[in-house]
Amino acid sequence: MKTIVVFKSKSGFVKKYATWIAEELEADLLEYSKVTIKELESYDTIIYGGGLYTVGINGIKLITKNLNRLKDKRIVVFASGATPPRKDDIEKVKNKSFTKEQQKQLQFFYLRGGFDYKKLNLGDKLLMKILKWKLKMKKTLMPDERGMLASYTVPVDFTKKKNIEEIILYVNS
């Protein structure tokens, strides 16, 4: 079984997970910008990882627009974000990112990553400043929201190698 892990990472958390997964599975590892759909067709298992942005997975169209070309492949998608994994939130991401038909063709996982404001590009910094402003305007903040505000000045990293265990078990099953 030939396996590849493809990732699109803005601040390094997805890349860290993708690297760990590739090492554990002895899989090829490629950055999103360096892979073509033609290359992916030569693999039996394709694992795609992207950061989570406003309930969407960064770069996921590489997979969703080409599922017809990858229909005989085992497809795994993981998203990484700063928030703790909550079943309802994960379902929302899955349902926004994939149609019901697409969900039958792939397996989705959420891996908690982190947040480092300094590593964001200018556009993302602007969006995050808006979020920060909105959070500061709220009268009552949830613990996650307080943590998010604090992470603007002190980066947070929730990545743990054990978080990839479900993916490894799934691919090896």
Side-chain angles (χ1 to χ4, degrees), residues 6-41:
V6 178
F7 68 93
K8 186 166 186 178
S9 184
K10 289 186 178 186
S11 50
F13 303 107
V14 171
K15 182 178 183 179
K16 187 187 291 189
Y17 279 127
T19 302
W20 287 337
I21 293 166
E23 287 170 355
E24 287 293 315
L25 296 172
E26 297 179 2
D28 293 338
L29 177 67
L30 274 177
E31 212 168 325
Y32 169 90
S33 62
K34 297 178 181 166
V35 71
T36 65
I37 195 64
K38 183 113 175 99
E39 286 175 286
L40 293 182
E41 289 175 322

Side-chain angles (χ1 to χ4, degrees), residues 53-56 90-99 103:
Y53 296 91
T54 58
V55 197
I90 293 168
E91 282 301 308
K92 284 179 191 173
V93 171
K94 193 163 77 169
N95 291 329
K96 181 177 180 183
S97 302
F98 311 108
T99 66
Q103 290 179 35

Side-chain angles (χ1 to χ4, degrees), residues 15 36 51 62 68 78 84 103 109 159 162 171:
K15 182 178 183 179
T36 65
L62 173 70
N68 60 328
F78 73 88
Q103 290 179 35
F109 297 89
T159 58
K162 74 178 188 82
V171 171

